Amino acid sequence: MDGDEPRDGVRETYDRIASHFASTREYPWPEVESFVDDATESGAAERALDLGCGNGRHVELLSAHADEVVGLDVSRGLLDEAVARAAERGFDAGLVQGDASRLPFAADAFDLAVYVATIHHLAPRAARVASLNELARVLDADGRAVVSAWSTAHDTFDREDGFDTTVDWTLPGGETVPRFYHIYAPDEFDADLDASDLAVVESTVSSGNCYAVVAGR
């Protein structure tokens, strides 16, 4: 995959499945809820980012813990779903279409960020590390973020090494739409974090996913 092909493919895929995908993504992940609760224990964040925000379920969570929230996603279809969710549930957020490896935000713009279930859609590895560098750039000196990716630790995958694959999404009526994934081995996930400008606070595996709490360096 060269140039913008992976990004374009992800955008087209999620635009195509946006409505049905959003209908299956109702609640925040427990691991994300725990991170946000811990990160804001001493007070609300000033400005929070949901990187790869999808239908806005974690934007909604962040809106209760931050003065201002921004959600970014490559898919216009998913952003439309997030706009509808915000209007229906009465939370405020800025919603931006953009690329996780080239963020349209100033340095040190956020003191809290969520980057879950998104980095594994980027290819090649250089784009994934670039996205981690961008997260480090937009986090302020005291900022914290949680990063997650699908992992070989999940029972679905009988592999030890990280690998590229496609995972089908089945639409109502039976049509399948392939989605690109890079399935991370836990040590590979840690290696990409170490290769980036982020400082790792904690790295774990939970529910078959890699998670890391990180800070800017």
Side-chain angles (χ1 to χ4, degrees), residues 82-155:
V83 168
R85 184 183 182 111
E88 177 184 342
R89 299 176 182 232
F91 63 89
D92 294 324
L95 296 168
V96 178
Q97 186 174 20
D99 182 349
S101 62
R102 295 194 291 269
L103 296 179
F105 307 121
D108 306 320
F110 302 97
D111 55 330
L112 182 64
V114 170
Y115 185 21
V116 300
T118 298
I119 192 172
H120 51 219
H121 291 307
L122 302 182
R125 177 179 185 253
R128 295 190 288 273
V129 175
S131 77
L132 296 172
N133 288 338
E134 281 289 87
L135 177 59
R137 182 182 66 80
V138 302
L139 276 177
D140 70 20
D142 298 318
R144 291 292 184 271
V146 62
V147 182
S148 83
W150 279 22
S151 170
T152 57
H154 197 283
D155 292 342

Side-chain angles (χ1 to χ4, degrees), residues 10 13-27 29 52-58 73 75 77-79 81-82 85 116-118 120-121 150 167-172 177 179 181:
V10 170
T13 294
Y14 278 92
D15 282 350
R16 188 173 176 186
I17 68 174
S19 178
H20 185 238
F21 181 84
S23 72
T24 69
R25 297 300 189 268
E26 178 67 16
Y27 303 107
W29 288 5
C53 67
N55 71 331
R57 59 178 167 163
H58 291 127
D73 204 279
S75 167
L78 285 176
L79 289 171
E81 296 292 334
R85 184 183 182 111
V116 300
T118 298
H120 51 219
H121 291 307
W150 279 22
V167 178
D168 285 344
W169 183 266
T170 303
L171 291 166
V177 181
R179 300 172 295 159
Y181 278 81

Side-chain angles (χ1 to χ4, degrees), residues 27-53:
Y27 303 107
W29 288 5
E31 293 88 351
V32 177
E33 288 183 306
S34 295
F35 162 75
V36 172
D37 286 343
D38 290 345
T40 58
E41 185 176 9
S42 61
E46 291 185 10
R47 199 160 187 249
L49 171 66
D50 185 355
L51 182 51
C53 67

